Amino acid sequence: MSEKLIKSLAGTRDILPWQWEKWHALHDAARRQFSIYGYGELATPIIEEAALFIKGTGESTEIVEKQMYTIDAAGEEDSGNAISLRPEGTPPAVRAYLESDLHKKQKFQKFWYSGPMFRREKPQKGRLRQFHQIGVEAIGGDSPLLDAETILLADAIYRDAGLKGYRTCINNIGCEECRPRYRENLRTYLRDRSDELCPDCVRRLDRNVLRILDCKNAPCKETVADMPSITGLLCNGCKDHYRTLKTVLDAQGLDYQEDPHLVRGLDYYTQTVYEIKHEELGARDTICGGGRYDGLVAQMGGPELSCVGFAMGVEATLIAMEAETEPDEATSLNPDVYVVCFDEPARIKCFEQLTMLRGAGLSADMDYEGRSAKAQMRSADRTGADFCMLIGGLEIENCEVTLKDMRSGQQWKAAWDKGADAILDALA
Ligand code: ATP
Ligand code: MG
């Protein structure tokens, strides 16, 4: 053992067998709600042309500027272009939609996806370099009812998963008609205070001024806190859209807050934006972010189509779920039966019984380390087995097995080929 261990990369993690319970609870809840809300599953590759994100996510976003894992595939026969690990799911979903010609067949489509995303961020609480998102994209609809549907869907998933202490924030950031005016106001206001901004935000003044509202640095947050909001500058179309959304959410009894300074980290959002936050996460407290992206499809070479979607951070959500529940004991596998070998020559016969039990649909296991009968009984206890099947020379001679109910301690015998039936009867 003198070799140095190779460790996992910063910002990546393993999920060990006993850590899956909440993961599945969240994904199962999401799946149930996607089916109830009529969203179809979409899977896209983890690698795509870098250009997809440069165009889609936006050249001036942090993600594209600093966080993409890209390899230069110049000269490779298959593509010759740079290839990136996907940092987010929306541009691939739009690409898949356009590439399969859905806009010509059935324009309106609702998709969901889940899987790993990659961003070279500074690893911190809830922020990883390989993380996972569960997201939806509703493509081809401009009704504020659709915005409401996605917000209610995210809420339904969290409720279904048993999460409680979250809050939903919404805003309307305007459209191409009214936003330029706001951008100008923002620039004028912030230029005078540029000495209060972090270097990143100073650069953003020209490139991407709205992002300053999304800066996580405390001094920048303070500077923008009493800035004029966009709400008063919205055009009539955006005002109406926002009003209808709120009316619908009110009618559904959804508890939300308006946050006139809420913007998202991605360039393509228009009109409605929203975030679901949970205090357990600290400074970066968003567990789900979404909104409307009416310009993206055309920008990616497709027709003019309005869309709305969200992405949930799986790890961020799990931190919130774990904080709300008592830490449990590591969950064990709880097999129905543990097969215990009493005499060494019986071991192969034990394996035969194990296979018969599994063939009958029972979860079953045995020892593979050649340990004593006593140690095997301890393993049976530790794994939480309901029954033990004891096999030694005597059992083999009599062509039978001894069964033991681990809770009552009661023991009985069954014929060699009736062991599985006996357990099934006892379980029923
Ligand atoms: P945020 O504003 O929260 O930083 P974002 O605008 O950069 O997110 P989105 O794709 O909209 O990017 O993120 C949706 C959610 O996915 C985030 O709120 C967060 O919960 C999760 N997420 C994003 N980046 C990471 C990451 N590096 N590690 C873990 N989770 C992440
Ligand atoms: Mg953001």
Side-chain angles (χ1 to χ4, degrees):
M1 288 283 274
S2 60
E3 290 286 334
K4 195 161 169 268
L5 280 181
I6 297 173
K7 300 259 180 74
S8 65
L9 295 171
T12 67
R13 33 162 275 200
D14 307 308
I15 310 172
L16 299 169
W18 48 89
Q19 296 171 333
W20 283 98
E21 203 174 303
K22 290 218 163 52
W23 178 285
H24 286 306
L26 175 62
H27 284 79
D28 290 350
R31 239 170 219 287
R32 265 193 300 276
Q33 298 303 325
F34 291 145
S35 150
I36 291 172
Y37 279 70
Y39 284 67
E41 184 168 2
L42 170 71
T44 62
I46 285 172
I47 49 173
E48 299 269 4
E49 263 200 49
L52 179 71
F53 303 105
I54 296 171
K55 242 187 180 171
T57 309
E59 218 161 345
S60 66
T61 57
E62 232 110 276
I63 294 177
V64 170
E65 272 189 341
K66 305 189 203 155
Q67 299 175 346
M68 284 224 287
Y69 287 95
T70 300
I71 56 161
D72 185 1
E76 281 184 24
E77 56 198 50
D78 52 356
S79 138
N81 296 323
I83 292 172
S84 296
L85 292 177
R86 65 180 181 197
E88 59 141 341
T90 303
V94 171
R95 180 201 51 68
Y97 169 92
L98 293 173
E99 198 168 333
S100 47
D101 273 343
L102 287 169
H103 54 299
K104 294 179 195 151
K105 295 172 198 147
Q106 177 59 258
K107 191 178 70 131
F108 183 67
Q109 293 282 342
K110 301 198 289 190
F111 299 118
W112 72 268
Y113 61 83
S114 72
M117 306 291 162
F118 304 84
R119 296 185 199 172
R120 208 167 160 190
E121 290 203 56
K122 186 168 143 241
Q124 53 185 298
K125 186 169 184 181
R127 293 282 153 170
L128 298 160
R129 290 182 165 177
Q130 176 177 336
F131 61 102
H132 297 76
Q133 287 185 328
I134 301 174
V136 302
E137 315 294 347
I139 303 179
D142 59 6
S143 165
L145 293 176
L146 190 58
D147 306 24
E149 176 177 282
T150 63
I151 296 173
L152 292 165
L153 170 55
D155 183 68
I157 292 171
Y158 282 150
R159 272 188 295 124
D160 189 337
L163 191 66
K164 292 189 186 77
Y166 59 90
R167 61 200 171 89
T168 305
C169 302
I170 65 169
N171 190 23
N172 187 308
I173 56 169
C175 61
E176 278 323 302
E177 197 183 313
C178 51
R179 197 158 28 167
R181 200 143 42 101
Y182 182 55
R183 251 191 225 118
E184 248 349 281
N185 281 12
L186 207 57
R187 228 171 247 139
T188 315
Y189 180 91
L190 289 172
R191 267 225 179 85
D192 295 341
R193 293 164 181 78
S194 60
D195 52 332
E196 298 163 26
L197 300 174
C198 72
D200 275 340
C201 283
V202 172
R203 280 192 320 120
R204 288 174 183 141
L205 269 174
D206 290 314
R207 292 179 58 105
N208 193 352
V209 66
L210 275 178
R211 266 317 293 268
I212 299 179
L213 298 178
D214 197 35
C215 184
K216 315 292 194 250
N217 290 330
C220 299
K221 273 185 163 173
E222 242 169 72
T223 306
V224 298
D226 32 39
M227 259 240 350
S229 77
I230 191 171
T231 318
L233 295 174
L234 292 179
C235 65
N236 286 336
C238 288
K239 266 189 205 143
D240 280 348
H241 191 99
Y242 197 30
R243 196 176 308 121
T244 308
L245 172 65
K246 288 185 283 182
T247 308
V248 174
L249 295 179
D250 288 338
Q252 293 300 317
L254 186 93
D255 189 16
Y256 64 88
Q257 293 159 5
E258 286 183 69
D259 176 355
H261 284 161
L262 176 65
V263 297
R264 307 278 7 268
L266 310 166
D267 277 358
Y268 46 65
Y269 287 108
T270 52
Q271 299 216 39
T272 307
V273 291
Y274 54 90
E275 287 190 341
I276 301 180
K277 295 164 183 277
H278 196 285
E279 60 183 23
E280 190 55 39
L281 275 293
R284 306 197 65 168
D285 56 357
T286 306
I287 55 174
C288 174
R292 180 161 276 289
Y293 50 99
D294 289 347
L296 182 64
V297 182
Q299 193 182 308
M300 287 175 52
E304 287 289 341
L305 282 175
S306 305
C307 315
V308 52
F310 67 66
M312 278 176 178
V314 171
E315 286 82 0
T317 300
L318 293 184
I319 289 177
M321 286 171 71
E322 254 138 42
E324 285 188 10
T325 45
E326 297 289 322
D328 2 313
E329 297 268 297
T331 42
S332 56
L333 291 167
N334 292 107
D336 297 319
V337 195
Y338 197 92
V339 182
V340 176
C341 171
F342 265 78
D343 304 307
E344 204 41 50
R347 212 167 271 271
I348 288 180
K349 298 300 274 179
C350 286
F351 191 76
E352 195 179 293
Q353 274 295 343
L354 180 69
T355 311
M356 281 155 65
L357 291 164
R358 288 174 174 168
L362 291 160
S363 57
D365 226 325
M366 66 177 274
D367 164 68
Y368 292 106
E369 297 166 278
R371 296 186 313 155
S372 70
K374 207 166 145 198
Q376 292 175 60
M377 289 305 288
R378 276 202 303 273
S379 292
D381 254 340
R382 189 172 39 79
T383 59
D386 292 325
F387 296 92
C388 272
M389 179 179 276
L390 316 175
I391 302 172
L394 202 63
E395 276 80 10
I396 290 169
E397 208 179 299
N398 296 335
C399 209
E400 61 187 17
V401 292
T402 300
L403 300 170
K404 178 174 181 182
D405 183 323
M406 294 300 278
R407 245 160 311 169
S408 65
Q410 191 202 356
Q411 279 191 208
W412 75 105
K413 290 193 186 290
W416 182 257
D417 55 358
K418 293 278 182 282
D421 287 341
I423 301 276
L424 284 168
D425 284 347
L427 280 170

